[in-house]
Amino acid sequence: MDRVYSIEEQKIAEKLTILNTRCTGMLTQLYNVKKACGDSKSRPKYFSEKNFEPLTSRIQKKFPNVDMSKDKVVSQLLKDCHQDVSSTLHYYYQTFVEILDFVDSAREVLTSMNVGGIFCDFAINFDLSRNFLDLVTNYCKLMILMGRVEDRKVIVGLFNAAYEMQNGQSEQSFHRLTSMIVEFDNPLKKLMEEFSFHSKNLKATLLSLTEIYREKFAVKEIINGLISIVSKPMLIKNVAKTPKMRTDLILRNTMNEWIIVGFLLHQLQFSENESHSLWKEALQDCFCFPLYRDEVVVVQRLYETPYIQNNKMLSKRFKEIADYTSFAVTQSAVKHKETRNILKLSLNELRLIFTDQPGLVGPKAHAAMVLLSLTKNEIQWLVHHSENIPLKFRNKVNADDYQEDNLGEMLFCLLEIRALFKKHADIVRDYFVRYISEVDLPKFTEVCKKHPQLDEEYHQLMVSFADAMKGVSLSEEDQKNHNLNGFRLDWFRFQAYTSAAKPLVSIRAIPEFITVMDATISHSYYIDGYEKYLDGTSDLSFLFFFSNFFRFNFGNCIEDYRFSRYSIAFAMACDHFIECTNKFCPEERSPIRHRSVLSAERCLEDMAKQTACHLEELCRESIKLEQQVLPSNAANMLKQEAAKLKKKQKDKLRIKEFVIPGSESYRKSHENLTRIDRSVASVTELLAAFTHFDTIRVVNATLCPIEYLRDVIDETFSGSFAALAFYDPDNGSISRPSELLRSISAFARTLKSIDHFATVDIGGLLFQSMLQHTQEIDKRGQKTVSGLYSSWFTDVLLNKIISGGICYTPSHKMFVSHRSVSLKAENYTDVAEMESLAELLGPYGIRVISSKIIDKICQEVTELKKIVQTNLSSLEQIRSKREFVNSNKNLKDCEELLNKTIRIGVMLCLRQLLHDATLSVLSRRTPTLLSVIQEFLSHPPNDSYVLHKYETASVIGIECPIDSVLFSALKAKKESSNEDKQIWSLYIVMIAMSLPDLLNQDMFVYENVIGGFLNNAHCLAKAINHLASVFFTSGGDKAVLKNLVEFISIASECVLKLECKKSENENEPVKHYEPLYVLLDIIVQESHFLKRDTIEKFISHSIIRDAYRQVNLIDRDEMKKRRKKVDGRSHEYS
């Protein structure tokens, strides 16, 4: 005869605790199996490949009687891969085996409770009742979730077939497992049949929830009576407690699951109105509940199964269920929205008070936990219901009721209170250690005296209770080592022992003892288990599985300036995601950890991008305002005012209405916010979010929010400066340097305003960004401001100058354009614009443009060398015979040589403008540094260091006798070697002989206003002097001087002899040789080596003086005729 075990020996408390923990693990494993089989990427190949289709289809049809030996094709197919099948499906199969073991254990415990007559009542035995309902609900969820695994039969059958082929016999759990799968093929039917034996205890437990459940709806009353500290300042130091401290923290969503599942298992048999009313309220509050994670059960679909519809008793309730579901969909969302609005105010209030007075965290700990549990309940309800609205109701409901605009504020306050609890854990622990030892222990002793039978019948447990309470009154050094899990488990055991049919002492007879122990148990959690309390009331790990909801609400939060400061809460919530893992399924911990960190990083990046977007808009507005105060806009305003005064209607229609600078600041009301006002508010709020925490801990990663903002600002705005140049290579347009400088200054001022709200070090970012723009390309490989302007100067401006229409004016130190030229060179090359460019780019940026100009000069020098080499023998002969006059007729490409030299001179003039601007800016910005360099340059160096000295001078814009940069470039291209000295000396001869050919050019006209010639012939002076100094620098200054003197002698001889021949031949057309004398004088003035007395050896000073006078007295009509030959082009100078 089997021995009958006593209630103490059956260990109901221990089994319920273990089974509930194990069931959560089984749900996790089964959930992962379902997701793996449903995902095409992770799905086993045997379920999807066509080769295995005969195998899987046979198992599906013949299950559970799977015999592969009858089909030779299938048998051979399995034989080829049975080892791989066993290893692949072992985890899946073992999961179902563990479910089978769990089902057996759960049935055993439930039967023991039923046989032992153990009753459950939340008001009497809270732990027993909660664990009982948790086991029932989790058991049902597990079976329903197993029914959703469509491949469960194939997994079990295929694995066993492979196992049988490998071992010669079926797996030992196979037959029991197939029976369970077949029985739960319709899970609701089997569950209802199974729980018909436990319906009495189940119904009684659910009815004990009635008062507790209805109190959960009175959120406002709960807050006013328990949480609101400000409304009752006299009670601010009193401990927050209620008669039902244990039940206060149960989530209403959890009770909804208990009620809906419990009464369904009870087959909806309502013998009294109270049970029906409780079921009705639960259905009207929620129309769905979570099965596990993102697997959700819609209540109406749960009742639409064929078994329920065919059951006469259950089908009668179907219309009733449909009405309740309709009410829940259309009405409950409004109530929950009102609840959330109430909770937000209370959360903010509690957060501010705890921040200001952390000592209140102890006395008001329970109040905070209740508030956190209510908040978590509302967030959970919103998450589950907003994404599962039935299709037939989606057009009938108000979408706003299922959205929470300021969800970020709720999350922020919840996480802040949670963080304050962790920060002040010592305060909470110390408070409740003293409370248990000074309040709960005396009450316990007093109650035990009133009930001496407790000590008589349960002496061991009573001693354990007393020792545990006395143990918490130890010294402060040992407080962190408290472990009260045994104390709480003993109380659970006591409830199980005294709730049986015939206990030694009935728990119903000791209500005072129950009240004291429940309060003490609640207080004990704040000593060693407050983290468990926090997880139960404020854990947000469920958001991990609702990524669409999470991203949608996060997007709404950062876009709405009213709630942007709370957007950091979404990144903080990612730290909770790892809590959704289970120790029974460790393989999912790593991917969830990785995704948690990625989600937090994505949140911070999106916040930073939104901030950068608003900053970009503010920068554009700042540039627009800066442009409104330009002098050109003032002219438009004056023109408009003049038109109004004259009352010319045509002008009024034609002239665009001018916006007066500052008009955007006028407001009729502070409530009327403009787009810019919203951007300013958004930036301010987002920066407050970034600076709220220095670092955020997400799982095992530490994130610094402000660093993400720095990186995004750097990435976003580093390319914005180049975009402000508005360079269009197709039509050759670009912003004027002064306009770009003004725009960048406005841009920088706006960005620097960030430092008033956050320590982003915008100055450092701007410095790094502008430093990149001194190079041709930035770190991302895109063109910088230096690159754009170097391209424009070398590819656009120089091409325009070479094609004609633009000339260099030494008197104004800029290039000017003819009327017919669309490009106004003076708008880009005058002193102010060049200084603006130098201020933008600095010496490094100017060096980039200069190096490109040098490259083009080197190309032209190569062409010059080719021309001289072509005429090498002729030039040597002419030079030896000293027959220079009219000998150029025997030479080839003299005019081409002349034009290329002019081009080189133009490029050198442009380069000199850049250097002068650099020197001017440096003298203003760094006068001390410049004076040191000038002092260094004033000392004569050794000959070996002279080029290095000149190179240093060229960087800061100081002009030197020898162009060391050009010398180095030509030397690198082997254009200035010793072997080429003869070629370049002949070049000097050829260019001197070619000067008279300038008289054949129509634009070789000297104008005193510009101080040069219309065809840029005066640029020959800079070209010849620079090239001579570079070509002959290896021979020293004497070699340079010798070749320049030879040039002057040959050129003056040619001009003088040609002028003499002109006077002898009166029939030749009239030519004015005076411009040539002026040109020779300019060449001498430009040279660092020639002096005025040098030219006087060949041309008297009186001739040069007369030449200047004659070029200014040339008949204006003749000048106009010359100009008309070139499309009537002329200059306008101011």
Side-chain angles (χ1 to χ4, degrees):
M1 185 176 178
D2 293 340
R3 177 189 171 190
V4 178
Y5 290 95
S6 65
I7 196 68
E8 289 85 357
E9 293 176 314
Q10 290 179 3
K11 299 185 181 300
I12 300 297
E14 292 86 340
K15 289 180 180 179
L16 283 175
T17 303
I18 294 170
L19 284 176
N20 276 319
T21 305
R22 184 66 186 129
C23 189
T24 306
M26 295 309 309
L27 282 167
T28 307
Q29 290 178 307
L30 191 60
Y31 173 86
N32 288 330
V33 170
K34 181 182 181 301
K35 292 299 180 182
C37 293
D39 188 3
S40 58
K41 295 180 180 179
S42 58
R43 182 180 174 86
K45 63 180 181 179
Y46 317 108
F47 301 161
S48 54
E49 292 185 4
K50 290 186 178 180
N51 298 338
F52 299 96
E53 191 173 343
L55 183 62
T56 55
S57 60
R58 179 177 178 82
I59 294 172
Q60 192 76 31
K61 290 178 182 178
K62 300 295 183 178
F63 191 86
N65 300 317
V66 182
D67 187 3
M68 298 297 179
S69 60
K70 295 181 180 180
D71 193 330
K72 294 182 179 179
V73 177
V74 173
S75 179
Q76 183 62 37
L77 185 63
L78 182 62
K79 188 176 181 180
D80 295 338
C81 62
H82 67 277
Q83 291 183 349
D84 191 24
V85 169
S86 295
S87 60
T88 303
L89 299 183
H90 180 266
Y91 172 78
Y92 301 145
Y93 183 84
Q94 198 60 37
T95 299
F96 288 104
V97 172
E98 291 177 5
I99 292 174
L100 177 64
D101 295 338
F102 169 79
V103 169
D104 293 341
S105 300
R107 287 172 176 172
E108 180 186 348
V109 172
L110 292 173
T111 302
S112 298
M113 291 180 67
N114 198 21
V115 172
I118 296 176
F119 75 94
C120 297
D121 190 325
F122 274 90
I124 298 173
N125 47 19
F126 173 84
D127 294 299
L128 184 64
S129 302
R130 175 159 194 168
N131 278 273
F132 170 68
L133 287 183
D134 280 342
L135 180 61
V136 171
T137 307
N138 289 334
Y139 178 55
C140 294
K141 287 181 178 181
L142 185 64
M143 294 299 103
I144 294 172
L145 185 59
M146 187 181 72
R148 291 188 177 188
V149 180
E150 296 179 358
D151 298 314
R152 59 189 182 280
K153 294 181 180 178
V154 178
I155 291 171
V156 173
L158 186 58
F159 176 83
N160 183 70
Y163 184 90
E164 190 174 359
M165 186 169 289
Q166 195 171 357
N167 297 282
Q169 60 180 3
S170 298
E171 203 276 332
Q172 60 180 357
S173 303
F174 175 69
H175 296 293
R176 292 174 55 239
L177 188 57
T178 54
S179 299
M180 183 192 73
I181 291 175
V182 171
E183 286 177 359
F184 284 96
D185 200 29
N186 189 339
L188 286 179
K189 178 182 178 182
K190 178 63 179 175
L191 288 169
M192 286 181 181
E193 292 174 356
E194 191 172 320
F195 276 92
S196 61
F197 302 102
H198 314 291
S199 59
K200 182 178 179 182
N201 194 13
L202 181 60
K203 182 181 178 182
T205 308
L206 293 173
L207 288 176
S208 69
L209 272 175
T210 304
E211 185 179 354
I212 302 167
Y213 180 74
R214 288 172 180 164
E215 286 177 355
K216 291 289 180 181
F217 286 92
V219 176
K220 195 170 184 178
E221 288 73 10
I222 293 174
I223 293 173
N224 289 336
L226 183 66
I227 298 170
S228 183
I229 298 173
V230 176
S231 61
K232 300 176 181 179
M234 299 300 295
L235 305 177
I236 196 168
K237 294 182 180 179
N238 292 3
V239 63
K241 60 181 180 179
T242 63
K244 302 173 182 177
M245 292 185 69
R246 305 293 305 281
T247 59
D248 285 340
L249 302 182
I250 304 176
L251 300 182
R252 193 168 71 195
N253 293 330
T254 303
M255 288 192 279
N256 284 335
E257 295 173 19
W258 291 343
I259 293 167
I260 293 172
V261 173
F263 281 116
L264 179 63
L265 298 178
H266 190 57
Q267 299 189 10
L268 304 183
Q269 296 178 12
F270 305 114
S271 57
E272 61 280 315
N273 292 331
E274 187 177 357
S275 58
H276 180 270
S277 177
L278 183 64
W279 175 71
K280 173 185 174 182
E281 289 173 9
L283 286 181
Q284 288 182 339
D285 183 56
C286 71
F287 55 83
C288 68
F289 63 88
L291 196 61
Y292 190 68
R293 292 181 173 175
D294 59 344
E295 291 288 326
V296 177
V297 175
V298 178
V299 177
Q300 190 169 358
R301 292 179 189 171
L302 193 67
Y303 288 96
E304 288 176 352
T305 56
Y307 170 73
I308 294 179
Q309 289 181 339
N310 296 331
N311 188 309
K312 293 182 180 180
M313 186 178 299
L314 297 176
S315 61
K316 293 178 182 178
R317 299 284 183 184
F318 190 74
K319 186 179 183 304
E320 200 175 345
I321 293 166
D323 293 339
Y324 297 154
T325 302
S326 176
F327 181 87
V329 173
T330 56
Q331 301 297 325
S332 63
V334 179
K335 295 180 180 179
H336 281 275
K337 195 175 186 69
E338 293 174 357
T339 303
R340 290 194 296 273
N341 291 332
I342 295 171
L343 288 173
K344 274 178 285 191
L345 297 174
S346 299
L347 282 167
N348 259 320
E349 177 185 319
L350 194 65
R351 175 178 68 89
L352 294 173
I353 289 176
F354 278 179
T355 304
D356 185 57
Q357 299 291 335
L360 292 176
V361 176
K364 299 301 178 184
H366 182 67
M369 291 294 179
V370 173
L371 183 57
L372 292 176
S373 67
L374 292 172
T375 305
K376 180 181 177 179
N377 182 84
E378 291 304 318
I379 296 173
Q380 273 188 342
W381 189 95
L382 183 65
V383 168
H384 294 140
H385 288 74
S386 61
E387 294 192 351
N388 294 282
I389 302 174
L391 289 174
K392 63 180 181 180
F393 292 105
R394 288 187 180 177
N395 295 328
K396 298 179 182 180
V397 300
N398 185 3
D400 293 338
D401 294 338
Y402 286 91
Q403 293 178 7
E404 185 58 55
D405 295 333
N406 51 356
L407 179 66
E409 184 179 359
M410 290 186 71
L411 295 178
F412 180 82
C413 294
L414 182 143
L415 293 170
E416 274 282 87
I417 295 173
R418 180 186 172 96
L420 287 170
F421 261 103
K422 290 187 175 182
K423 181 179 178 181
H424 304 297
D426 293 338
I427 296 176
V428 177
R429 187 184 298 111
D430 180 68
Y431 179 84
F432 282 99
V433 163
R434 296 178 184 278
Y435 195 89
I436 289 178
S437 60
E438 296 175 8
V439 178
D440 290 335
L441 181 58
K443 286 183 179 179
F444 173 80
T445 305
E446 183 181 349
V447 171
C448 287
K449 290 179 181 179
K450 291 182 180 179
H451 302 281
Q453 69 273 22
L454 289 174
D455 189 54
E456 294 173 3
E457 304 297 340
Y458 300 104
H459 175 74
Q460 189 174 358
L461 286 176
M462 292 299 108
V463 172
S464 175
F465 293 154
D467 291 344
M469 292 185 195
K470 292 174 183 177
V472 298
S473 60
L474 299 174
S475 61
E476 294 184 1
E477 293 114 7
D478 299 330
Q479 285 184 15
K480 294 184 180 180
N481 299 323
H482 286 308
N483 186 354
L484 299 176
N485 288 325
F487 173 58
R488 290 186 283 269
L489 184 59
D490 284 343
W491 173 235
F492 191 3
R493 290 191 185 106
F494 181 86
Q495 294 176 42
Y497 299 163
T498 56
S499 300
K502 296 179 179 180
L504 299 175
V505 177
S506 175
I507 195 171
R508 297 179 191 271
I510 47 174
E512 294 179 2
F513 183 74
I514 296 171
T515 303
V516 172
M517 285 303 298
D518 275 344
T520 307
I521 294 295
S522 295
H523 298 156
S524 71
Y525 277 107
Y526 295 106
I527 297 175
D528 69 328
Y530 75 95
E531 290 188 358
K532 181 181 179 181
Y533 255 24
L534 280 176
D535 289 339
T537 57
S538 60
D539 176 55
L540 301 173
S541 59
F542 58 90
L543 292 174
F544 176 79
F545 302 98
F546 296 89
S547 56
N548 292 335
F549 176 88
F550 186 83
R551 298 295 300 171
F552 176 78
N553 283 277
F554 173 67
N556 289 344
C557 187
I558 61 175
E559 288 172 6
D560 193 332
Y561 70 93
R562 297 172 298 171
F563 312 114
S564 297
R565 69 166 54 229
Y566 304 114
S567 55
I568 194 68
F570 289 89
M572 295 164 56
C574 296
D575 185 38
H576 293 215
F577 292 168
I578 195 65
E579 299 300 329
C580 69
T581 58
N582 193 279
K583 62 184 178 182
F584 292 100
C585 195
E587 64 272 9
E588 68 175 2
R589 191 170 184 84
S590 179
I592 289 179
R593 181 191 296 114
H594 179 64
R595 281 187 57 189
S596 300
V597 177
L598 284 181
S599 297
E601 289 180 339
R602 196 178 297 116
C603 287
L604 294 175
E605 287 172 2
D606 289 348
M607 288 170 61
K609 287 176 182 177
Q610 186 73 10
T611 307
C613 181
H614 288 301
L615 281 173
E616 200 168 7
E617 186 175 4
L618 293 176
C619 289
R620 286 197 299 268
E621 184 67 18
S622 180
I623 293 171
K624 180 181 175 183
L625 296 176
E626 187 73 26
Q627 290 172 348
Q628 285 182 3
V629 296
L630 291 176
S632 57
N633 286 333
N636 292 333
M637 185 180 69
L638 294 174
K639 189 176 180 181
Q640 181 182 352
E641 292 297 325
K644 287 181 180 180
L645 291 173
K646 293 179 180 179
K647 298 182 179 181
K648 290 183 178 180
Q649 190 65 28
K650 293 182 180 180
D651 290 342
K652 285 185 178 180
L653 295 174
R654 186 173 67 251
I655 297 173
K656 185 180 178 180
E657 188 69 22
F658 182 79
V659 179
I660 300 176
S663 59
E664 71 282 346
S665 300
Y666 288 105
R667 293 283 190 282
K668 291 184 178 180
S669 172
H670 290 289
E671 297 177 357
N672 299 331
L673 297 179
T674 63
R675 176 175 50 85
I676 300 303
D677 293 336
R678 290 188 177 89
S679 293
V680 171
S682 296
V683 169
T684 306
E685 296 298 307
L686 285 168
L687 289 175
F690 275 110
T691 56
H692 191 79
F693 297 101
D694 293 334
T695 57
I696 295 176
R697 185 75 178 175
V698 179
V699 195
N700 58 348
T702 302
L703 308 179
C704 183
I706 207 70
E707 288 300 320
Y708 286 86
L709 180 61
R710 282 175 55 86
D711 293 342
V712 170
I713 288 177
D714 185 26
E715 182 180 355
T716 303
F717 294 106
S718 60
S720 298
F721 296 152
L724 291 174
F726 300 110
Y727 178 54
D728 187 358
D730 296 331
N731 59 17
S733 62
I734 197 169
S735 296
R736 296 171 63 178
S738 60
E739 293 178 357
L740 179 60
L741 179 61
R742 196 177 289 110
S743 298
I744 290 178
S745 299
F747 210 96
R749 282 197 301 272
T750 304
L751 289 180
K752 284 182 179 179
S753 63
I754 298 176
D755 286 332
H756 296 300
F757 307 97
T759 310
V760 187
D761 188 21
I762 290 296
L765 289 177
L766 290 173
F767 175 76
Q768 293 175 7
S769 180
M770 291 306 298
L771 199 60
Q772 289 184 50
H773 284 281
T774 62
Q775 307 301 315
E776 193 167 1
I777 57 173
D778 60 11
K779 61 183 179 183
R780 297 178 296 174
Q782 297 180 356
K783 274 206 169 185
T784 59
V785 174
S786 296
L788 294 177
Y789 273 100
S790 62
S791 298
W792 186 83
F793 276 112
T794 55
D795 298 337
V796 178
L797 182 62
L798 285 177
N799 289 340
K800 292 278 187 181
I801 296 171
I802 291 168
S803 61
I806 299 176
C807 67
Y808 175 66
T809 163
S811 59
H812 294 82
K813 287 193 175 182
M814 65 179 178
F815 286 88
V816 293
S817 304
H818 297 291
R819 282 181 177 177
S820 58
V821 179
S822 59
L823 176 65
K824 298 297 181 184
E826 56 270 23
N827 290 341
Y828 297 90
T829 59
D830 66 358
V831 175
E833 296 297 335
M834 284 297 182
E835 288 185 1
S836 298
L837 185 65
E839 194 165 350
L840 269 174
L841 307 183
Y844 283 106
I846 295 298
R847 192 174 183 179
V848 169
I849 303 176
S850 179
S851 63
K852 272 207 165 187
I853 294 173
I854 291 294
D855 290 341
K856 281 193 168 289
I857 292 174
C858 291
Q859 295 173 10
E860 296 294 338
V861 169
T862 304
E863 296 298 323
L864 291 178
K865 183 178 179 181
K866 291 178 181 178
I867 294 173
V868 175
Q869 286 175 335
T870 305
N871 300 284
L872 191 62
S873 58
S874 301
L875 286 169
E876 288 177 347
Q877 187 178 0
I878 292 169
R879 190 179 193 183
S880 62
K881 293 181 180 180
R882 303 290 297 178
E883 295 177 355
F884 302 113
V885 181
N886 289 332
S887 296
N888 58 348
K889 294 178 180 179
N890 301 324
L891 301 177
K892 298 177 181 179
D893 300 326
C894 286
E895 187 177 356
E896 185 67 19
L897 181 81
L898 201 60
N899 291 334
K900 287 187 178 297
T901 306
I902 291 174
R903 290 176 194 172
I904 293 174
V906 168
M907 295 177 194
L908 290 171
C909 288
L910 177 60
R911 182 164 165 261
Q912 187 59 45
L913 290 179
L914 294 169
H915 286 176
D916 291 344
T918 304
L919 184 61
S920 176
V921 172
L922 288 176
S923 64
R924 214 170 48 242
R925 301 287 293 273
T926 57
T928 305
L929 178 62
L930 190 62
S931 65
V932 172
I933 296 174
Q934 288 173 337
E935 181 68 20
F936 165 71
L937 295 173
S938 64
H939 296 286
N942 298 328
D943 293 340
S944 57
Y945 295 103
V946 65
L947 291 177
H948 296 292
K949 183 184 78 167
Y950 290 158
E951 188 171 356
T952 304
S954 66
V955 171
I956 62 173
I958 297 177
E959 190 175 5
C960 299
I962 300 173
D963 194 336
S964 59
V965 178
L966 181 58
F967 174 80
S968 301
L970 291 173
K971 188 175 182 180
K973 295 180 180 294
K974 299 181 180 179
E975 298 293 352
S976 115
S977 61
N978 294 327
E979 292 80 4
D980 294 333
K981 285 184 180 179
Q982 181 66 21
I983 294 175
W984 296 124
S985 63
L986 293 176
Y987 162 74
I988 294 295
V989 174
M990 189 172 179
I991 191 66
M993 293 168 57
S994 303
L995 283 185
D997 291 344
L998 290 171
L999 296 173
N1000 298 325
Q1001 296 185 12
D1002 295 324
M1003 295 298 290
F1004 185 60
V1005 178
Y1006 182 83
E1007 288 199 3
N1008 193 39
V1009 178
I1010 67 172
F1013 297 89
L1014 297 180
N1015 66 343
N1016 288 314
H1018 54 282
C1019 295
L1020 282 169
K1022 191 169 285 291
I1024 292 169
N1025 281 293
H1026 273 67
L1027 292 177
S1029 65
V1030 169
F1031 294 151
F1032 309 111
T1033 188
S1034 58
D1037 293 350
K1038 292 182 180 179
V1040 178
L1041 179 60
K1042 176 185 174 183
N1043 284 274
L1044 286 176
V1045 169
E1046 183 181 7
F1047 168 79
I1048 293 297
S1049 66
I1050 295 172
S1052 59
E1053 181 182 346
C1054 292
V1055 175
L1056 288 171
K1057 287 185 178 181
L1058 286 172
E1059 190 174 12
C1060 291
K1061 285 185 179 182
K1062 177 201 73 169
S1063 60
E1064 294 174 0
N1065 293 326
E1066 297 180 355
N1067 296 327
E1068 288 186 6
V1070 177
K1071 288 186 178 180
H1072 298 281
Y1073 289 89
E1074 290 82 3
L1076 290 176
Y1077 295 124
V1078 173
L1079 178 59
L1080 289 173
D1081 185 62
I1082 293 173
I1083 292 172
V1084 173
Q1085 291 181 31
E1086 187 73 29
S1087 176
H1088 290 277
F1089 300 94
L1090 297 175
K1091 298 181 180 179
R1092 294 302 294 263
D1093 56 354
T1094 305
I1095 194 172
E1096 289 184 3
K1097 294 178 182 179
F1098 309 101
I1099 304 173
S1100 66
H1101 179 67
S1102 60
I1103 295 176
I1104 296 173
R1105 183 181 59 195
D1106 185 63
Y1108 276 106
R1109 185 175 64 83
Q1110 288 297 326
V1111 293
N1112 290 316
L1113 294 176
I1114 293 176
D1115 186 46
R1116 294 181 180 274
D1117 295 334
E1118 187 176 349
M1119 290 177 62
K1120 289 180 180 179
K1121 289 177 184 179
R1122 291 185 179 185
R1123 291 183 180 180
K1124 286 179 181 179
K1125 291 181 181 180
V1126 194
D1127 300 325
R1129 292 175 292 180
S1130 63
H1131 287 282
E1132 279 188 346
Y1133 305 107
S1134 56

